Amino acid sequence: MTKRLQAQRLNGIEHNPWVEFVKLSSEHDVVNLGQGFPDFAPPDFAMEAFRRAVSGDLMLNQYTKAFGYPPLTEILASFFGKLLGQEMDPHKNVLVTVGAYGALFTAFQALVDNGDEVIIIEPAFDCYEPMTLMAGGHPVFVFLKPSPIQDGELDSSSNWKLDPTELASKFTPRTKALVLNTPNNPLGKVFSREELELVASLCQQHDVVCITDEVYQWLVYDGHQHVSIASLPGMWERTLTIGSAGKTFSATGWKVGWVLGPDNILKHLRTVHQNSIYHCPTQGQAAVAWSFEREQLYFGQPSSYFVQFPQAMQRSRDHMIRSLQSVGLRPVIPQGSYFLITDISDFKRKMPDLPGTEDEPYDSRFVKWMIKNKGLVAIPVSIFYSEPLRKRFDHYIRFCFVKDESTLRAMDEKLQKWKAELKP
Amino acid sequence: MFLALGSGARFLKTIYSSKILRFSTSAKMSVKFTNAKRIEGLDSNVWIEFTKLAADPSVVNLGQGLPDISPPIYVKEKLSKIAAIDSLNQYTRGFGHPSLVKALSCLYEKLYQNQIDPNKEILVTVGAYGSLFSAIQALIDEGDEVIIIVPFYDCYEPMVRMAGATPVFIPLRSSKPVYGKRWSSSDWTLDPHELASKFNSRTKAIILNTPHNPLGKVYTKEELQVIADLCIKYDTLCISDEVYEWLVYSGNKHFKIATFPGMWERTITIGSAGKTFSVTGWKIGWSIGPNHLIKHLQTVQQNTIYTCATPLQEALAQAFWIDIKRMDDPECYFNSLPKELEVKRDRMVCLLESVGLKPIVPDGGYFIIADVSLLDADLSDMKDNEPYDYKFVKWMTKNKKDSTLDAAEEIIKAWNVQKS
């Protein structure tokens, strides 16, 4: 064919940074602490729920309701209705999607028009920018600034903050939406109530929709509280709250997500949904519904998965923090999420000339070197930044600690070997 | 039996609402909460309305295209076993689970008589619906024209509009059946000159659906050649929706337009696990084509859902292997299902005829269309501004109730009695 094949909407979004790292990981003998998924099983009750979903009622093999399998939309409405302090109708305020990824896509397509501006807080999960672009929107970036820390102390995600004046300056009459992610990927920052109030007041002042990605909402540590911005005064009517069964129940492969919001905004997402994939797979939704029913029974109790899981992950986090320091990596303590980032400035000073392509940021070269030479996979944090900031934030790499004990032990072995190889 | 023709040779109206989307705003609400322009006017959906009506448990649902029979046992068994495997509960490869794309490549290599690269020439999507969406988003631009053959599966038009392109319609037209012969889906054909007149330099693609929903037409080799010739002449893409590819009844053969000379390089062929294995709720579909096209669908995938559900893909791969190994065997589901459905088709044709509904006997697919004009039903208490067939179906749904073919037979026999 001689015509230009691909549509314009794909301009600038063809490249995907993960492809490279996933490939490299499969080619070497590595401990994979890169991509964000557990390498342990979902909890028993979730496995049981899925077993039930695939061996029970035959009709679960067929289409369900387009906007969500009814028992799932009902439990989501009741469960999150309580959490958000909002009366929620399963037909009007809930949409089930193919993962939180699908929810994000549906939201952007429903609301973002050519020329609309979307504020994205960096470092940001890497899909927000291309999804904005694919919808013809214009991403406007504002970054979390780390404050200086004392020598010898470890940095913390709570130390990375938005400058209120700078944030305010990003809003223009063309701003359609702001994307919030708390707990944040890759940093692990859990936005405080005060920080959310700042974002909320600006959204209200400038009449902007807030798209809030809260997939890690249960993974908060050290007694921090996850606050949903939709629960703040004046925010329910302008917020889309996105969640993930994959991250909630450690079953990322089920690809069940949802959006919660007011009917007058959600109806536009329903229009996109019915013209894109129409139905989500039934059985995964049934399994998620049963899993939520179980958690609703145990909510707030010690045996709740939403209590036990973050406790266990806090231990894994702490284990990783201790271990990484032994080779001179400087972790930033995350308040939440699956991830922590580590400062690799010392390595940048000692080994500034690692192989890579022209313009490749240091952290990317470092990760490739580490995969090939030290058998550990991490993800360069520069991929979570827009192009202009990549050189500035090229001295951090992201590790996922939501891994089995055996994986963390294997990590320790690799690190011990690395430590032994370090020049004095 | 879902969509019915009006009197004579009137064609199905496209199910498209030109209602401009507005919502009521309170003082607090925002003009900015308006929908993006790409979905303007695409909010209405015929299925939402009718599935609500059919949800009444006393209604026989012969409307929506989903089986109420069991999927094959080994398909269910595979999924059950897989549910217990830890690693299959986590993310898999974005463009398609490795064992599934390998199985698809193996199966379709036999049909295409050519190698198919599982990683570069196949994309696994959320149902065939997801493949249609990805193909259109990837390859259709604002200002492009896309030819759609009427009647058409209803999503083609809104998907084309959502991509900012203009649908160009061409109807299948029916000759009157020869006296003594049953009306067949093969009586519905495209006029080659009329079709040619729809192509121009702005035509980016034509959407083909064979076997066809709702008519059940299975395009012949000659009919496909006409389409292929035009695609090549105008350098156009072909998006071929072949979800019912196995559901072809006696005396008919399914042809893949992508196997015609000059067509592989310009065709995306779409398939469906839901329709292949009677598991519509698994929502797994796929697009097959040359890498220079598939790579753009892969770009869309990585910016929309990224990856499809893992356990279902693995189960599907294993089910495929069972049937790939016995494709010449009558026990192979690809052979046994059409035999099973042909019997049901024939039964339904007789039932419909027995009450004066004139069916168009489908050569393939899940559906039969019936002309209801002869029934002369009293629809005076249905809403005024809807097409006749909408009103008829709603009347039928509200007034004639029960479940599955046996029950449908009861109802239809009862009508017969009522009429006489």
Side-chain angles (χ1 to χ4, degrees), chain A residues 126-165:
Chain A
D126 67 296
C127 80
Y128 305 152
E129 183 184 358
M131 285 189 181
T132 300
L133 292 172
M134 192 172 160
H138 180 60
V140 171
F141 298 99
V142 60
F143 65 97
L144 291 162
K145 285 188 176 67
S147 321
I149 47 167
Q150 302 281 38
D151 250 349
E153 261 190 29
L154 283 178
D155 196 1
S156 157
S157 60
S158 56
N159 201 30
W160 292 53
K161 298 194 166 90
L162 283 172
D163 177 321
T165 318

Side-chain angles (χ1 to χ4, degrees), chain A residues 57-277:
Chain A
D57 179 7
L58 273 187
M59 287 313 286
L60 292 178
N61 285 292
Q62 307 304 336
Y63 292 132
T64 180
K65 292 277 175 299
F67 304 135
Y69 173 66
L72 178 57
T73 52
E74 279 157 29
I75 187 96
L76 288 173
S78 93
F79 194 96
F80 287 99
K82 288 198 196 77
L83 283 184
L84 298 178
Q86 185 70 36
E87 193 70 39
M88 279 176 43
D89 179 325
H91 299 114
K92 296 187 174 157
N93 304 122
V94 183
L95 174 66
V96 176
T97 55
V98 178
Y101 217 96
L104 285 160
F105 174 72
T106 307
F108 282 102
Q109 286 287 309
L111 300 173
V112 177
D113 247 323
N114 275 351
D116 281 348
E117 290 176 9
V118 176
I119 297 175
I120 296 174
I121 302 168
E122 302 192 277
F125 184 54
D126 67 296
C127 80
Y128 305 152
E129 183 184 358
M131 285 189 181
T132 300
L133 292 172
M134 192 172 160
H138 180 60
V140 171
F141 298 99
V142 60
F143 65 97
L144 291 162
K145 285 188 176 67
S147 321
I149 47 167
Q150 302 281 38
D151 250 349
E153 261 190 29
L154 283 178
D155 196 1
S156 157
S157 60
S158 56
N159 201 30
W160 292 53
K161 298 194 166 90
L162 283 172
D163 177 321
T165 318
E166 193 184 350
L167 177 61
S169 76
K170 301 292 180 177
F171 285 80
T172 77
R174 297 250 38 190
T175 310
K176 189 72 185 275
L178 176 145
V179 184
L180 179 65
N181 174 217
T182 179
N184 168 281
N185 172 8
L187 188 54
K189 178 181 178 63
V190 173
F191 283 72
S192 67
R193 182 172 291 272
E194 293 66 39
E195 289 171 314
L196 293 176
E197 280 167 354
L198 166 67
V199 173
S201 83
L202 285 165
C203 285
Q204 287 173 67
Q205 195 187 323
H206 296 275
D207 196 21
V208 162
V209 172
C210 180
I211 299 172
T212 175
D213 172 353
E214 301 189 2
V215 298
Y216 301 109
Q217 68 183 115
W218 305 110
L219 286 163
V220 286
Y221 314 118
D222 306 323
H224 291 293
Q225 287 293 309
H226 168 76
V227 178
S228 287
I229 198 171
S231 65
L232 298 185
M235 286 308 285
W236 167 256
E237 61 230 40
R238 61 179 63 255
T239 305
L240 293 173
T241 306
I242 290 173
S244 155
K247 301 299 194 303
T248 296
F249 296 111
S250 306
T252 59
W254 293 5
K255 286 294 288 188
V256 175
W258 54 82
V259 197
L260 311 169
D263 185 47
N264 67 308
I265 304 182
L266 223 54
K267 69 182 177 188
H268 304 317
L269 278 75
R270 291 195 289 265
T271 300
V272 172
H273 183 86
Q274 81 199 20
N275 288 300
S276 58
I277 58 145

Side-chain angles (χ1 to χ4, degrees), chain A residues 2-3 5 7 9 14 61-62 101 109-110 112 135 175-176 207 247 250 252-255 274 277-278, chain B residues 30 32 36 38 43 47 89-91 129 137-138 140-141 163 203-204 235 278 280-283 302 305 310:
Chain A
T2 57
K3 280 185 182 149
L5 293 167
R9 68 182 64 81
E14 301 92 331
N61 285 292
Q62 307 304 336
Y101 217 96
Q109 286 287 309
V112 177
T175 310
K176 189 72 185 275
D207 196 21
K247 301 299 194 303
S250 306
T252 59
W254 293 5
K255 286 294 288 188
Q274 81 199 20
I277 58 145
Y278 196 26
Chain B
S30 155
K32 279 209 209 161
R38 68 181 59 81
D43 52 305
W47 305 100
N89 288 290
Q90 306 305 335
Y91 292 133
Y129 217 97
Q137 285 287 306
I140 309 299
D141 241 325
T203 311
K204 190 71 185 282
D235 197 21
S278 307
T280 59
W282 289 27
K283 286 293 290 193
Q302 80 200 18
I305 56 143
T310 314

Side-chain angles (χ1 to χ4, degrees), chain B residues 118-294:
Chain B
N119 294 319
K120 296 195 175 148
E121 295 176 331
I122 300 181
L123 175 68
V124 175
T125 55
V126 181
Y129 217 97
S131 269
L132 285 162
F133 181 73
S134 296
I136 292 169
Q137 285 287 306
L139 303 170
I140 309 299
D141 241 325
E142 272 190 47
D144 283 348
E145 289 181 12
V146 177
I147 298 175
I148 297 178
I149 300 167
V150 181
F152 54 91
Y153 182 56
D154 70 298
C155 80
Y156 301 161
E157 183 184 352
M159 283 189 182
V160 165
R161 289 193 191 278
M162 191 171 158
T166 307
V168 171
F169 300 103
I170 174 162
L172 285 158
R173 296 181 192 279
S174 173
S175 46
K176 279 255 174 313
V178 172
Y179 184 74
K181 270 189 85 188
R182 275 195 167 124
W183 205 2
S184 161
S185 58
S186 56
D187 292 322
W188 291 74
T189 56
L190 289 172
D191 178 314
H193 295 295
E194 193 183 2
L195 179 61
S197 76
K198 304 292 180 179
F199 280 79
N200 61 51
S201 58
R202 282 184 308 281
T203 311
K204 190 71 185 282
I206 178 168
I207 301 178
L208 176 65
N209 178 215
T210 181
H212 183 269
N213 174 3
L215 274 172
K217 177 182 176 61
V218 175
Y219 285 71
T220 64
K221 202 163 180 216
E222 293 68 32
E223 288 173 318
L224 292 176
Q225 192 62 62
V226 168
I227 296 173
D229 289 343
L230 285 164
C231 286
I232 292 168
K233 179 174 176 189
Y234 287 89
D235 197 21
T236 304
L237 297 172
C238 180
I239 299 171
S240 185
D241 174 353
E242 301 184 9
V243 298
Y244 301 106
E245 61 186 305
W246 299 110
L247 295 173
V248 174
Y249 307 124
S250 302
N252 298 282
K253 189 169 177 334
H254 172 69
F255 291 98
K256 290 185 157 315
I257 199 171
T259 59
F260 287 38
M263 288 307 287
W264 167 255
E265 71 219 45
R266 61 183 66 255
T267 307
I268 298 281
T269 306
I270 293 172
S272 156
K275 303 299 195 298
T276 295
F277 284 110
S278 307
V279 288
T280 59
W282 289 27
K283 286 293 290 193
I284 300 178
W286 48 85
S287 290
I288 297 181
N291 181 246
H292 61 259
L293 295 180
I294 291 287

